Amino acid sequence: MTGTTDSAAAGGSTPEAIMGATYRALCEHGYADLTMQDIADESDKSKASLHYHFDTKEELLLAFLDHLYDAFTDDVGTTDGDDAVERLVRFVDELLCPAERTDEPRAESSPDGPSDDGTDDDGTGGDDPNDGAGTDEFEEFQTALLEIKAQGPYVEAYREQLERVDAFVRGRVRSIVADGIEEGTIRADVDPDDTAAFVATLVDGVNTRRVALGETDGSVRNTFLAYVRENLVAPGADVAVDLDPGSDADRDTDGDATGAADGRAAAGGDD
Amino acid sequence: MTGTTDSAAAGGSTPEAIMGATYRALCEHGYADLTMQDIADESDKSKASLHYHFDTKEELLLAFLDHLYDAFTDDVGTTDGDDAVERLVRFVDELLCPAERTDEPRAESSPDGPSDDGTDDDGTGGDDPNDGAGTDEFEEFQTALLEIKAQGPYVEAYREQLERVDAFVRGRVRSIVADGIEEGTIRADVDPDDTAAFVATLVDGVNTRRVALGETDGSVRNTFLAYVRENLVAPGADVAVDLDPGSDADRDTDGDATGAADGRAAAGGDD
Protein backbone atom coordinates (compact mmCIF):
# COMPACT_ATOMS: atom_id res chain seq x y z
CA MET A 1 0.00 0.00 0.00
CA THR A 2 2.64 2.49 1.03
CA GLY A 3 5.70 0.29 0.85
CA THR A 4 5.91 0.44 -2.91
CA THR A 5 6.62 4.15 -2.82
CA ASP A 6 9.02 3.82 0.05
CA SER A 7 12.42 3.11 -1.38
CA ALA A 8 13.86 2.26 2.00
CA ALA A 9 11.21 -0.35 2.56
CA ALA A 10 11.32 -1.70 -0.97
CA GLY A 11 15.07 -1.70 -1.07
CA GLY A 12 15.80 -3.01 2.40
CA SER A 13 16.59 -6.59 3.08
CA THR A 14 13.43 -8.62 2.96
CA PRO A 15 13.06 -9.22 6.70
CA GLU A 16 13.49 -5.52 7.46
CA ALA A 17 10.96 -4.52 4.85
CA ILE A 18 8.56 -7.04 6.36
CA MET A 19 9.11 -5.57 9.82
CA GLY A 20 8.17 -2.12 8.56
CA ALA A 21 5.09 -3.51 6.85
CA THR A 22 4.14 -5.37 10.03
CA TYR A 23 4.41 -2.20 12.06
CA ARG A 24 2.15 -0.31 9.67
CA ALA A 25 -0.34 -3.16 9.42
CA LEU A 26 -0.52 -3.44 13.22
CA CYS A 27 -1.17 0.29 13.48
CA GLU A 28 -3.90 0.07 10.90
CA HIS A 29 -5.62 -3.18 11.82
CA GLY A 30 -4.67 -3.97 15.40
CA TYR A 31 -3.49 -7.40 16.41
CA ALA A 32 -6.64 -9.50 16.67
CA ASP A 33 -7.82 -8.79 13.14
CA LEU A 34 -4.41 -8.75 11.54
CA THR A 35 -3.90 -11.12 8.62
CA MET A 36 -0.85 -12.03 6.58
CA GLN A 37 -2.66 -10.40 3.67
CA ASP A 38 -2.82 -7.09 5.60
CA ILE A 39 0.94 -7.22 6.08
CA ALA A 40 1.50 -8.11 2.45
CA ASP A 41 -0.69 -5.15 1.49
CA GLU A 42 1.63 -2.83 3.44
CA SER A 43 4.69 -4.16 1.66
CA ASP A 44 5.74 -4.93 -1.88
CA LYS A 45 5.65 -8.64 -1.11
CA SER A 46 2.98 -11.15 -1.92
CA LYS A 47 1.30 -13.07 0.83
CA ALA A 48 3.01 -16.18 -0.55
CA SER A 49 6.39 -14.59 -0.22
CA LEU A 50 5.63 -13.63 3.39
CA HIS A 51 4.80 -17.25 4.03
CA TYR A 52 8.14 -18.20 2.59
CA HIS A 53 9.74 -16.48 5.60
CA PHE A 54 7.09 -17.06 8.23
CA ASP A 55 4.69 -19.96 8.49
CA THR A 56 2.15 -18.19 10.63
CA LYS A 57 1.12 -14.72 11.72
CA GLU A 58 2.32 -15.65 15.19
CA GLU A 59 5.77 -16.51 13.91
CA LEU A 60 5.97 -13.24 12.02
CA LEU A 61 4.85 -11.31 15.10
CA LEU A 62 7.53 -13.01 17.16
CA ALA A 63 10.17 -11.89 14.70
CA PHE A 64 8.65 -8.44 14.89
CA LEU A 65 8.82 -8.36 18.70
CA ASP A 66 12.41 -9.50 18.48
CA HIS A 67 13.15 -6.71 16.04
CA LEU A 68 11.41 -4.26 18.35
CA TYR A 69 13.60 -5.31 21.23
CA ASP A 70 16.73 -4.64 19.21
CA ALA A 71 15.46 -1.28 18.04
CA PHE A 72 14.36 -0.28 21.53
CA THR A 73 17.58 -1.26 23.23
CA ASP A 74 19.60 0.45 20.48
CA ASP A 75 17.45 3.50 20.80
CA VAL A 76 17.74 4.02 24.53
CA GLY A 77 21.39 2.98 24.32
CA THR A 78 22.94 4.62 27.30
CA THR A 79 21.18 7.21 29.39
CA ASP A 80 23.26 10.31 29.99
CA GLY A 81 23.07 12.68 32.90
CA ASP A 82 25.22 14.43 35.46
CA ASP A 83 24.15 12.03 38.16
CA ALA A 84 22.05 8.93 38.66
CA VAL A 85 18.94 10.88 39.61
CA GLU A 86 19.03 12.84 36.39
CA ARG A 87 19.67 9.67 34.40
CA LEU A 88 16.72 7.94 36.04
CA VAL A 89 14.34 10.78 35.26
CA ARG A 90 15.59 10.95 31.67
CA PHE A 91 15.22 7.23 31.18
CA VAL A 92 11.65 7.29 32.48
CA ASP A 93 10.93 10.25 30.21
CA GLU A 94 12.12 8.20 27.27
CA LEU A 95 9.78 5.41 28.30
CA LEU A 96 6.82 7.69 28.81
CA CYS A 97 7.25 9.74 25.66
CA PRO A 98 5.13 10.98 24.08
CA ALA A 99 2.12 10.47 26.32
CA GLU A 100 3.74 12.16 29.25
CA ARG A 101 5.11 15.01 27.18
CA THR A 102 2.12 15.76 25.03
CA ASP A 103 2.79 19.41 24.47
CA GLU A 104 6.34 18.91 23.49
CA PRO A 105 7.41 19.08 19.85
CA ARG A 106 7.99 15.56 18.63
CA ALA A 107 11.57 14.48 18.81
CA GLU A 108 13.55 13.38 15.79
CA SER A 109 12.93 9.69 16.10
CA SER A 110 9.27 9.67 17.03
CA PRO A 111 7.25 7.62 17.74
CA ASP A 112 9.56 6.77 20.52
CA GLY A 113 8.07 4.80 23.37
CA PRO A 114 9.22 1.83 25.34
CA SER A 115 8.68 -0.60 22.55
CA ASP A 116 7.28 1.14 19.57
CA ASP A 117 10.21 2.03 17.44
CA GLY A 118 12.09 -0.05 14.99
CA THR A 119 10.60 1.39 11.88
CA ASP A 120 12.01 4.86 11.69
CA ASP A 121 15.40 3.94 12.96
CA ASP A 122 16.14 1.11 10.65
CA GLY A 123 15.02 2.49 7.38
CA THR A 124 12.11 0.15 6.88
CA GLY A 125 9.35 2.67 7.22
CA GLY A 126 11.13 5.92 7.73
CA ASP A 127 8.77 8.22 5.96
CA ASP A 128 5.52 7.97 7.83
CA PRO A 129 2.60 7.33 5.51
CA ASN A 130 0.77 10.10 7.28
CA ASP A 131 3.22 12.75 8.25
CA GLY A 132 2.34 14.81 11.28
CA ALA A 133 0.19 11.98 12.59
CA GLY A 134 3.02 10.55 14.66
CA THR A 135 1.08 10.67 17.90
CA ASP A 136 -1.88 8.88 16.37
CA GLU A 137 0.41 6.26 14.99
CA PHE A 138 2.10 5.89 18.35
CA GLU A 139 -1.25 5.35 19.98
CA GLU A 140 -2.37 2.92 17.33
CA PHE A 141 0.76 0.96 17.88
CA GLN A 142 0.36 1.01 21.67
CA THR A 143 -3.13 -0.35 21.15
CA ALA A 144 -1.87 -3.27 19.08
CA LEU A 145 0.84 -3.84 21.68
CA LEU A 146 -1.75 -3.99 24.45
CA GLU A 147 -3.61 -6.64 22.46
CA ILE A 148 -0.39 -8.59 22.21
CA LYS A 149 0.13 -8.23 25.96
CA ALA A 150 -3.34 -9.70 26.47
CA GLN A 151 -2.08 -12.75 24.57
CA GLY A 152 0.58 -13.28 27.24
CA PRO A 153 -1.28 -16.08 29.00
CA TYR A 154 -1.93 -17.91 25.71
CA VAL A 155 1.23 -17.44 23.68
CA GLU A 156 4.23 -18.19 25.84
CA ALA A 157 6.61 -16.99 23.15
CA TYR A 158 4.99 -13.53 23.15
CA ARG A 159 5.31 -13.42 26.89
CA GLU A 160 8.98 -14.28 26.66
CA GLN A 161 9.55 -11.38 24.27
CA LEU A 162 7.60 -9.01 26.53
CA GLU A 163 9.63 -10.23 29.50
CA ARG A 164 12.82 -9.51 27.62
CA VAL A 165 11.87 -5.87 27.11
CA ASP A 166 10.75 -5.64 30.71
CA ALA A 167 13.96 -7.18 31.99
CA PHE A 168 15.92 -4.62 30.02
CA VAL A 169 13.89 -1.75 31.49
CA ARG A 170 14.17 -3.05 35.02
CA GLY A 171 17.85 -3.81 34.58
CA ARG A 172 18.51 -0.26 33.47
CA VAL A 173 16.61 1.24 36.42
CA ARG A 174 18.29 -1.13 38.82
CA SER A 175 21.73 -0.22 37.58
CA ILE A 176 21.05 3.51 37.64
CA VAL A 177 19.77 3.22 41.21
CA ALA A 178 22.79 1.16 42.23
CA ASP A 179 25.07 3.78 40.67
CA GLY A 180 23.22 6.46 42.58
CA ILE A 181 23.68 4.67 45.87
CA GLU A 182 27.36 4.31 45.14
CA GLU A 183 27.83 7.93 44.17
CA GLY A 184 25.75 9.05 47.15
CA THR A 185 22.93 10.75 45.27
CA ILE A 186 20.44 7.98 46.06
CA ARG A 187 19.74 6.84 49.58
CA ALA A 188 21.53 3.71 50.69
CA ASP A 189 18.32 2.11 51.96
CA VAL A 190 16.58 2.23 48.57
CA ASP A 191 16.08 -1.21 47.09
CA PRO A 192 17.15 -1.18 43.43
CA ASP A 193 14.95 -4.17 42.57
CA ASP A 194 11.83 -2.76 44.20
CA THR A 195 12.44 0.59 42.56
CA ALA A 196 12.85 -1.08 39.17
CA ALA A 197 9.59 -2.99 39.57
CA PHE A 198 7.81 0.18 40.69
CA VAL A 199 9.03 2.20 37.74
CA ALA A 200 8.24 -0.56 35.24
CA THR A 201 4.75 -0.87 36.71
CA LEU A 202 4.11 2.85 36.45
CA VAL A 203 5.21 2.85 32.83
CA ASP A 204 2.96 -0.09 32.04
CA GLY A 205 0.10 1.69 33.78
CA VAL A 206 0.62 4.84 31.75
CA ASN A 207 0.70 2.85 28.53
CA THR A 208 -2.43 0.90 29.40
CA ARG A 209 -4.31 4.05 30.34
CA ARG A 210 -3.30 5.78 27.14
CA VAL A 211 -5.05 3.02 25.21
CA ALA A 212 -7.96 2.14 27.47
CA LEU A 213 -8.89 5.64 28.56
CA GLY A 214 -7.15 7.85 26.02
CA GLU A 215 -5.32 9.46 28.91
CA THR A 216 -2.28 11.50 27.96
CA ASP A 217 -2.35 14.24 30.53
CA GLY A 218 1.08 13.70 31.98
CA SER A 219 -0.02 14.05 35.57
CA VAL A 220 1.78 10.88 36.56
CA ARG A 221 5.13 12.41 35.72
CA ASN A 222 4.78 15.06 38.39
CA THR A 223 4.04 12.50 41.04
CA PHE A 224 6.87 10.35 39.80
CA LEU A 225 9.23 13.29 40.26
CA ALA A 226 7.92 13.82 43.76
CA TYR A 227 8.52 10.15 44.44
CA VAL A 228 12.09 10.44 43.16
CA ARG A 229 12.70 13.56 45.16
CA GLU A 230 11.38 12.27 48.43
CA ASN A 231 11.95 8.54 48.30
CA LEU A 232 15.14 8.19 46.35
CA VAL A 233 17.32 11.27 46.59
CA ALA A 234 19.83 11.05 49.41
CA PRO A 235 19.51 13.75 52.08
CA GLY A 236 21.81 16.60 51.28
CA ALA A 237 22.68 15.31 47.81
CA ASP A 238 23.37 18.11 45.39
CA VAL A 239 20.82 17.12 42.76
CA ALA A 240 17.69 18.84 41.60
CA VAL A 241 14.65 16.91 40.49
CA ASP A 242 13.14 19.72 38.59
CA LEU A 243 13.28 18.52 35.02
CA ASP A 244 9.98 19.46 33.58
CA PRO A 245 10.08 19.07 29.84
CA GLY A 246 6.37 19.32 29.33
CA SER A 247 5.21 22.30 31.26
CA ASP A 248 7.86 24.91 31.75
CA ALA A 249 7.37 27.85 29.48
CA ASP A 250 11.07 28.22 28.98
CA ARG A 251 11.82 24.64 28.26
CA ASP A 252 12.81 25.25 24.67
CA THR A 253 14.12 28.74 24.84
CA ASP A 254 17.02 28.42 27.17
CA GLY A 255 19.51 28.42 24.35
CA ASP A 256 20.34 24.82 25.07
CA ALA A 257 18.95 23.85 21.69
CA THR A 258 17.69 20.32 22.11
CA GLY A 259 18.21 20.37 25.80
CA ALA A 260 15.29 20.93 28.03
CA ALA A 261 12.75 19.51 25.65
CA ASP A 262 14.20 16.09 26.07
CA GLY A 263 14.38 16.31 29.81
CA ARG A 264 17.94 17.45 29.64
CA ALA A 265 17.79 20.56 31.74
CA ALA A 266 20.85 20.36 33.88
CA ALA A 267 19.82 19.02 37.24
CA GLY A 268 21.14 21.49 39.71
CA GLY A 269 22.00 23.89 36.94
CA ASP A 270 19.31 26.35 37.75
CA ASP A 271 19.62 26.69 41.43
CA MET B 1 -22.27 -25.71 30.25
CA THR B 2 -22.14 -25.15 33.96
CA GLY B 3 -25.12 -22.88 34.34
CA THR B 4 -27.66 -25.66 34.12
CA THR B 5 -26.39 -27.19 37.31
CA ASP B 6 -26.12 -23.84 39.03
CA SER B 7 -29.40 -23.09 40.71
CA ALA B 8 -28.41 -19.51 41.44
CA ALA B 9 -27.68 -18.89 37.79
CA ALA B 10 -30.69 -20.76 36.53
CA GLY B 11 -33.02 -19.22 39.07
CA GLY B 12 -31.80 -15.61 38.94
CA SER B 13 -33.54 -12.95 36.96
CA THR B 14 -32.65 -13.31 33.33
CA PRO B 15 -30.27 -10.37 33.05
CA GLU B 16 -28.37 -11.48 36.16
CA ALA B 17 -28.09 -15.03 34.93
CA ILE B 18 -26.76 -13.69 31.66
CA MET B 19 -24.16 -11.59 33.49
CA GLY B 20 -22.89 -14.68 35.30
CA ALA B 21 -22.73 -16.61 32.05
CA THR B 22 -20.91 -13.72 30.40
CA TYR B 23 -18.34 -13.67 33.17
CA ARG B 24 -17.69 -17.39 32.83
CA ALA B 25 -17.59 -17.25 29.05
CA LEU B 26 -15.10 -14.36 29.14
CA CYS B 27 -12.87 -16.29 31.51
CA GLU B 28 -12.99 -19.32 29.27
CA HIS B 29 -12.78 -17.77 25.82
CA GLY B 30 -11.36 -14.27 26.26
CA TYR B 31 -12.93 -11.28 24.58
CA ALA B 32 -11.75 -11.44 20.97
CA ASP B 33 -13.02 -14.95 20.34
CA LEU B 34 -16.17 -14.65 22.43
CA THR B 35 -19.43 -15.43 20.67
CA MET B 36 -23.03 -15.15 21.76
CA GLN B 37 -23.12 -18.94 21.49
CA ASP B 38 -20.30 -19.22 24.06
CA ILE B 39 -22.33 -17.14 26.48
CA ALA B 40 -25.48 -19.16 25.77
CA ASP B 41 -23.47 -22.32 26.45
CA GLU B 42 -22.57 -20.99 29.91
CA SER B 43 -26.21 -20.31 30.74
CA ASP B 44 -29.51 -22.11 30.44
CA LYS B 45 -30.58 -19.71 27.70
CA SER B 46 -30.58 -20.24 24.00
CA LYS B 47 -28.60 -17.95 21.77
CA ALA B 48 -31.93 -16.71 20.41
CA SER B 49 -33.08 -15.75 23.87
CA LEU B 50 -29.81 -13.87 24.47
CA HIS B 51 -30.47 -11.96 21.29
CA TYR B 52 -33.89 -11.08 22.64
CA HIS B 53 -32.13 -9.01 25.28
CA PHE B 54 -29.03 -7.92 23.40
CA ASP B 55 -28.69 -7.34 19.69
CA THR B 56 -24.95 -7.76 19.59
CA LYS B 57 -22.06 -9.12 21.63
CA GLU B 58 -20.92 -5.54 22.11
CA GLU B 59 -24.27 -4.55 23.59
CA LEU B 60 -24.17 -7.50 25.95
CA LEU B 61 -20.63 -6.65 26.99
CA LEU B 62 -21.67 -3.09 27.72
CA ALA B 63 -24.42 -4.33 30.01
CA PHE B 64 -21.83 -6.58 31.61
CA LEU B 65 -19.41 -3.69 32.21
CA ASP B 66 -22.26 -1.72 33.70
CA HIS B 67 -23.10 -4.61 35.98
CA LEU B 68 -19.42 -4.88 36.92
CA TYR B 69 -19.34 -1.23 37.90
CA ASP B 70 -22.29 -1.71 40.23
CA ALA B 71 -20.81 -4.82 41.77
CA PHE B 72 -17.40 -3.20 42.19
CA THR B 73 -18.70 -0.01 43.77
CA ASP B 74 -20.97 -2.02 46.06
CA ASP B 75 -18.12 -4.27 46.97
CA VAL B 76 -15.62 -1.62 47.96
CA GLY B 77 -18.46 0.34 49.55
CA THR B 78 -16.71 2.42 52.13
CA THR B 79 -13.11 1.87 53.12
CA ASP B 80 -12.63 1.63 56.87
CA GLY B 81 -9.57 2.55 58.83
CA ASP B 82 -8.44 4.54 61.84
CA ASP B 83 -7.11 7.32 59.68
CA ALA B 84 -6.85 8.33 56.04
CA VAL B 85 -3.46 6.71 55.57
CA GLU B 86 -4.75 3.35 56.72
CA ARG B 87 -7.85 3.73 54.55
CA LEU B 88 -5.73 4.54 51.51
CA VAL B 89 -3.51 1.50 51.97
CA ARG B 90 -6.54 -0.73 52.51
CA PHE B 91 -8.28 0.61 49.44
CA VAL B 92 -5.22 0.01 47.30
CA ASP B 93 -4.96 -3.49 48.75
CA GLU B 94 -8.50 -4.14 47.67
CA LEU B 95 -7.62 -3.00 44.17
CA LEU B 96 -4.46 -5.04 44.00
CA CYS B 97 -5.85 -8.23 45.48
CA PRO B 98 -5.03 -10.95 44.86
CA ALA B 99 -1.90 -10.34 42.81
CA GLU B 100 -0.29 -8.20 45.44
CA ARG B 101 -1.22 -10.46 48.31
CA THR B 102 -0.35 -13.77 46.84
CA ASP B 103 0.52 -15.50 50.06
CA GLU B 104 -2.58 -14.37 51.87
CA PRO B 105 -5.55 -16.67 52.30
CA ARG B 106 -8.16 -15.65 49.77
CA ALA B 107 -10.75 -13.27 51.16
CA GLU B 108 -14.41 -14.18 51.40
CA SER B 109 -15.50 -12.54 48.19
CA SER B 110 -12.65 -13.46 45.93
CA PRO B 111 -11.88 -12.87 43.12
CA ASP B 112 -11.88 -9.35 44.24
CA GLY B 113 -10.01 -6.96 42.02
CA PRO B 114 -10.80 -3.54 40.70
CA SER B 115 -13.41 -4.71 38.32
CA ASP B 116 -13.70 -8.42 38.40
CA ASP B 117 -16.45 -9.20 40.78
CA GLY B 118 -20.12 -9.17 40.16
CA THR B 119 -20.64 -12.85 39.93
CA ASP B 120 -20.06 -14.11 43.41
CA ASP B 121 -21.74 -11.25 45.12
CA ASP B 122 -24.98 -11.23 43.25
CA GLY B 123 -25.81 -14.87 43.11
CA THR B 124 -25.42 -15.27 39.39
CA GLY B 125 -22.37 -17.43 39.46
CA GLY B 126 -21.71 -17.92 43.11
CA ASP B 127 -20.41 -21.42 43.10
CA ASP B 128 -17.30 -21.38 41.01
CA PRO B 129 -17.28 -24.11 38.40
CA ASN B 130 -13.76 -24.92 39.52
CA ASP B 131 -13.48 -24.40 43.22
CA GLY B 132 -10.04 -23.58 44.52
CA ALA B 133 -9.13 -22.14 41.15
CA GLY B 134 -10.15 -18.64 42.15
CA THR B 135 -6.79 -17.16 41.28
CA ASP B 136 -6.76 -18.74 37.84
CA GLU B 137 -10.24 -17.45 37.22
CA PHE B 138 -9.23 -14.01 38.40
CA GLU B 139 -6.34 -14.00 35.99
CA GLU B 140 -8.46 -15.28 33.14
CA PHE B 141 -10.88 -12.50 33.79
CA GLN B 142 -8.15 -9.89 33.98
CA THR B 143 -6.94 -11.12 30.62
CA ALA B 144 -10.35 -10.65 29.04
CA LEU B 145 -10.57 -7.24 30.67
CA LEU B 146 -7.23 -6.23 29.18
CA GLU B 147 -8.55 -7.23 25.76
CA ILE B 148 -11.55 -5.01 26.38
CA LYS B 149 -9.23 -2.17 27.41
CA ALA B 150 -7.45 -2.58 24.09
CA GLN B 151 -10.82 -1.92 22.44
CA GLY B 152 -10.92 1.51 24.09
CA PRO B 153 -9.86 3.41 20.97
CA TYR B 154 -12.41 1.58 18.81
CA VAL B 155 -15.48 1.21 20.99
CA GLU B 156 -16.23 4.52 22.65
CA ALA B 157 -18.93 2.97 24.82
CA TYR B 158 -16.42 0.52 26.32
CA ARG B 159 -14.10 3.40 27.05
CA GLU B 160 -16.89 5.27 28.79
CA GLN B 161 -17.53 2.30 31.05
CA LEU B 162 -13.82 1.94 31.79
CA GLU B 163 -13.64 5.65 32.55
CA ARG B 164 -16.52 5.29 34.97
CA VAL B 165 -14.68 2.67 37.00
CA ASP B 166 -11.53 4.74 36.85
CA ALA B 167 -13.34 7.89 37.94
CA PHE B 168 -14.69 5.98 40.91
CA VAL B 169 -11.23 4.76 41.89
CA ARG B 170 -9.67 8.18 41.51
CA GLY B 171 -12.55 9.83 43.33
CA ARG B 172 -12.12 7.52 46.26
CA VAL B 173 -8.36 8.13 46.47
CA ARG B 174 -8.86 11.86 46.11
CA SER B 175 -11.40 11.99 48.89
CA ILE B 176 -9.30 9.85 51.23
CA VAL B 177 -6.30 12.11 50.59
CA ALA B 178 -8.40 15.22 51.17
CA ASP B 179 -9.68 13.73 54.42
CA GLY B 180 -6.10 13.01 55.43
CA ILE B 181 -5.03 16.57 54.76
CA GLU B 182 -7.92 17.83 56.83
CA GLU B 183 -7.26 15.48 59.73
CA GLY B 184 -3.54 16.25 59.56
CA THR B 185 -2.29 12.76 58.75
CA ILE B 186 -1.45 13.64 55.15
CA ARG B 187 0.80 16.54 54.24
CA ALA B 188 -0.96 19.71 53.21
CA ASP B 189 1.16 20.04 50.07
CA VAL B 190 0.04 16.71 48.63
CA ASP B 191 -2.12 17.12 45.55
CA PRO B 192 -5.15 14.82 45.84
CA ASP B 193 -5.68 14.72 42.06
CA ASP B 194 -2.08 13.86 41.25
CA THR B 195 -2.05 11.22 43.96
CA ALA B 196 -5.25 9.71 42.61
CA ALA B 197 -3.84 9.54 39.08
CA PHE B 198 -0.63 8.03 40.39
CA VAL B 199 -2.40 5.33 42.38
CA ALA B 200 -4.78 4.50 39.51
CA THR B 201 -1.81 4.22 37.15
CA LEU B 202 0.05 1.90 39.47
CA VAL B 203 -3.00 -0.33 39.79
CA ASP B 204 -3.43 -0.45 36.03
CA GLY B 205 0.24 -1.28 35.68
CA VAL B 206 -0.02 -4.16 38.16
CA ASN B 207 -3.06 -5.53 36.34
CA THR B 208 -1.41 -5.27 32.94
CA ARG B 209 1.75 -6.97 34.16
CA ARG B 210 -0.20 -9.78 35.76
CA VAL B 211 -1.62 -10.61 32.33
CA ALA B 212 1.26 -9.75 30.04
CA LEU B 213 4.09 -11.10 32.16
CA GLY B 214 2.33 -13.34 34.65
CA GLU B 215 3.81 -11.18 37.39
CA THR B 216 2.22 -11.57 40.79
CA ASP B 217 5.14 -11.07 43.10
CA GLY B 218 3.77 -8.22 45.10
CA SER B 219 6.93 -6.19 45.02
CA VAL B 220 5.08 -3.07 43.97
CA ARG B 221 3.15 -3.00 47.20
CA ASN B 222 6.32 -2.49 49.23
CA THR B 223 7.34 0.46 47.18
CA PHE B 224 3.84 1.85 47.28
CA LEU B 225 3.97 1.75 51.08
CA ALA B 226 7.33 3.51 51.03
CA TYR B 227 5.78 6.12 48.76
CA VAL B 228 2.87 6.60 51.17
CA ARG B 229 5.19 6.83 54.13
CA GLU B 230 7.57 9.31 52.64
CA ASN B 231 5.49 11.33 50.23
CA LEU B 232 2.10 11.45 51.85
CA VAL B 233 2.27 11.04 55.61
CA ALA B 234 2.47 14.36 57.42
CA PRO B 235 5.60 14.86 59.54
CA GLY B 236 4.93 13.80 63.10
CA ALA B 237 1.54 12.29 62.30
CA ASP B 238 0.73 9.40 64.57
CA VAL B 239 0.00 6.85 61.89
CA ALA B 240 1.73 3.62 61.00
CA VAL B 241 2.12 2.49 57.43
CA ASP B 242 2.59 -1.04 58.49
CA LEU B 243 -0.35 -2.94 57.13
CA ASP B 244 1.20 -5.91 55.56
CA PRO B 245 -1.48 -8.48 54.93
CA GLY B 246 0.66 -10.80 52.92
CA SER B 247 3.90 -11.24 54.70
CA ASP B 248 3.92 -10.50 58.39
CA ALA B 249 5.84 -13.54 59.49
CA ASP B 250 7.84 -14.62 56.55
CA ARG B 251 8.78 -11.88 54.20
CA ASP B 252 11.78 -10.58 56.04
CA THR B 253 12.91 -12.77 58.80
CA ASP B 254 16.44 -11.66 58.19
CA GLY B 255 16.00 -8.77 60.52
CA ASP B 256 18.15 -6.52 58.40
CA ALA B 257 17.74 -2.93 57.50
CA THR B 258 15.30 -3.70 54.72
CA GLY B 259 12.67 -4.26 57.37
CA ALA B 260 11.76 -0.62 57.10
CA ALA B 261 11.50 -0.95 53.36
CA ASP B 262 8.82 -3.56 53.83
CA GLY B 263 6.49 -0.93 55.06
CA ARG B 264 6.31 -1.82 58.69
CA ALA B 265 8.12 1.04 60.23
CA ALA B 266 5.81 3.37 62.05
CA ALA B 267 5.74 6.51 59.97
CA GLY B 268 6.23 8.84 62.85
CA GLY B 269 7.46 6.30 65.29
CA ASP B 270 11.10 6.15 64.58
CA ASP B 271 12.07 9.73 64.71
Side-chain angles (χ1 to χ4, degrees), chain A residues 99-232:
Chain A
E100 294 295 290
R101 294 191 281 167
T102 46
D103 50 357
E104 182 192 4
R106 305 303 306 286
E108 56 287 340
S109 66
S110 60
D112 202 15
S115 355
D116 73 290
D117 13 271
T119 51
D120 288 1
D121 292 352
D122 60 10
T124 58
D127 49 345
D128 284 345
N130 39 4
D131 249 329
T135 299
D136 285 354
E137 193 182 79
F138 178 81
E139 284 168 15
E140 285 163 5
F141 184 72
Q142 284 294 331
T143 302
L145 198 58
L146 194 61
E147 287 185 88
I148 292 172
K149 288 178 181 173
Q151 295 294 308
Y154 308 118
V155 187
E156 180 59 27
Y158 287 170
R159 179 173 280 179
E160 282 165 13
Q161 289 285 357
L162 297 169
E163 279 170 347
R164 225 174 131 217
V165 173
D166 185 63
F168 176 86
V169 168
R170 283 186 292 110
R172 176 65 60 87
V173 173
R174 197 159 40 225
S175 103
I176 294 174
V177 170
D179 288 351
I181 292 173
E182 196 167 319
E183 79 189 11
T185 53
I186 292 182
R187 287 160 35 173
D189 67 343
V190 167
D191 184 311
D193 283 314
D194 281 356
T195 305
F198 196 67
V199 167
T201 302
L202 262 188
V203 170
D204 282 333
V206 167
N207 287 331
T208 296
R209 293 171 70 81
R210 179 189 299 129
V211 174
L213 307 171
E215 183 179 280
T216 58
D217 67 359
S219 59
V220 170
R221 186 178 189 274
N222 296 333
T223 318
F224 172 70
L225 293 183
Y227 159 76
V228 170
R229 204 180 299 118
E230 300 184 39
N231 290 54
L232 304 188

Side-chain angles (χ1 to χ4, degrees), chain B residues 217-235:
Chain B
D217 67 359
S219 60
V220 170
R221 186 177 189 272
N222 296 335
T223 318
F224 172 70
L225 293 184
Y227 160 76
V228 170
R229 202 184 302 116
E230 301 184 40
N231 289 54
L232 304 187
V233 173

